[in-house]
Amino acid sequence: MSFSKFKDEDDVKSLRSHSFTWRCKSFSWRDRPLERYAACDDHNDHTEEGENGLIRSSIGVLNESFYTPRCNEEPNSARSVASGFEPFEDASDGGSLEQSMPNLVDDSVFISPDLYDFFQSYLPNIVKGCQWSLLYSTAKHGISLRTLIRMSANSSGPCLLITGDKQGAVFGGLLEAPLRPTAKRKYQGTVQSFVFTTVYGEPRLFRPTGANRYFYLCMNEILALGGGGHFALCLDGDLLSGNSGPCDTFGNLCLAHDEEFELKNVELWGFTHASRYLTS
């Protein structure tokens, strides 16, 4: 099905998100994702050993044994809790995945310990401390939006849609379960909805700007978040491809490497109080 048929054509002036976004020193709003990566290739930084075991380079003074870049905290933004540049740790020294993600009941193609911590910081309070239950995964349940919608009935309340492109970006958004498909185009959701992406290196989250209430659209043929100018994220009915672009609802940038992309996988996560999983 062609996405152009469903593209939001409301002529509304684009706004930036008034909520949490994350930006490194090397990133500006004018940057396109591919341009940013190309720029990284040009930084063949000259380094030399200085006093106190420090290394001096064109990007600053670094400790020789540990390097974790920091992001600027700017208005309408928050510092990322996850970095794309983490020090290597020997497996014997680090905790297990179960210890670092204690509430994750099922395995995920996308969720790393850093991304898990990122979500824990910005999910609604109502689901904090809950067990994460995998409601749907294309790896387990096949490629069908109708199946995803049906499996969403196993949860009630906020649910997290996570997907990604073949180039390695992870993105998605917060919806409300169970998903209720409509015959005609009708937006649903609340102001607690958001979209996120890792395409710019560190996780960035975009909350509603207040420009409109186009939080998400659920039909049997498409699942889309945002509107006004473009969908922030739109998945087709067979969950094989999607598109993304700037939208007024969330004030976001493109969430993927390209506006149109093939999907790596699709997951839908629900949240349940831990007592449900306790055994006597």
Side-chain angles (χ1 to χ4, degrees), residues 81-84 86 101 111-119 203:
V81 298
S83 170
E86 294 293 340
M101 300 186 289
I111 302 176
S112 65
D114 287 336
L115 195 57
Y116 175 83
D117 289 341
F118 166 77
F119 289 136

Side-chain angles (χ1 to χ4, degrees), residues 55-276:
I55 294 178
R56 298 186 180 276
S57 72
S58 62
I59 58 175
V61 180
L62 317 175
N63 188 287
E64 188 173 16
S65 60
F66 183 85
Y67 169 43
T68 303
R70 295 181 178 178
C71 298
N72 286 337
E73 183 172 352
E74 301 185 4
N76 302 328
S77 68
R79 182 171 296 172
S80 168
V81 298
S83 170
F85 302 90
E86 294 293 340
F88 175 81
E89 295 182 1
D90 188 83
S92 61
D93 297 331
S96 68
L97 289 178
E98 291 184 358
Q99 291 174 329
S100 59
M101 300 186 289
N103 294 328
L104 206 67
V105 176
D106 303 289
D107 294 332
S108 172
V109 173
F110 301 110
I111 302 176
S112 65
D114 287 336
L115 195 57
Y116 175 83
D117 289 341
F118 166 77
F119 289 136
Q120 289 289 78
S121 297
Y122 297 109
L123 283 169
N125 289 332
I126 193 173
V127 302
K128 289 186 176 179
C130 290
Q131 298 282 0
W132 293 43
S133 178
L134 185 61
L135 303 176
Y136 170 85
S137 169
T138 52
K140 291 184 177 181
H141 304 104
I143 48 175
S144 170
L145 178 57
R146 290 174 183 264
T147 303
L148 183 153
I149 293 171
R150 185 174 68 252
M151 298 300 290
S152 74
N154 293 322
S155 182
S156 178
C159 60
L160 187 62
L161 177 72
I162 307 178
T163 186
D165 60 24
K166 294 295 183 67
Q167 287 73 37
V170 179
F171 43 84
L174 191 69
L175 308 172
E176 288 285 330
L179 296 174
R180 306 181 188 278
T182 58
K184 296 182 179 180
R185 181 170 171 168
K186 181 180 179 181
Y187 277 92
Q188 307 174 55
T190 67
V191 293
Q192 72 179 3
S193 300
F194 62 72
V195 294
F196 73 91
T197 182
T198 66
V199 73
Y200 302 105
E202 61 283 334
R204 301 181 65 180
L205 181 143
F206 302 87
R207 294 193 185 276
T209 63
N212 56 48
R213 297 183 63 83
Y214 302 159
F215 302 121
Y216 70 87
L217 178 69
C218 181
M219 303 174 68
N220 287 322
E221 298 81 13
I222 64 166
L223 178 62
L225 292 90
H230 203 286
F231 293 128
L233 176 62
C234 181
L235 310 183
D236 66 6
D238 58 13
L239 300 181
L240 291 175
S241 59
N243 65 32
S244 174
C247 83
D248 294 330
T249 307
F250 299 108
N252 60 284
L253 305 176
C254 180
L255 304 181
H257 283 89
D258 302 299
E259 287 195 358
E260 296 185 0
F261 47 84
E262 293 183 9
L263 296 171
K264 180 179 179 180
N265 196 357
V266 178
E267 296 178 352
L268 185 69
W269 290 84
F271 305 93
T272 309
H273 289 289
S275 59
R276 173 180 174 181

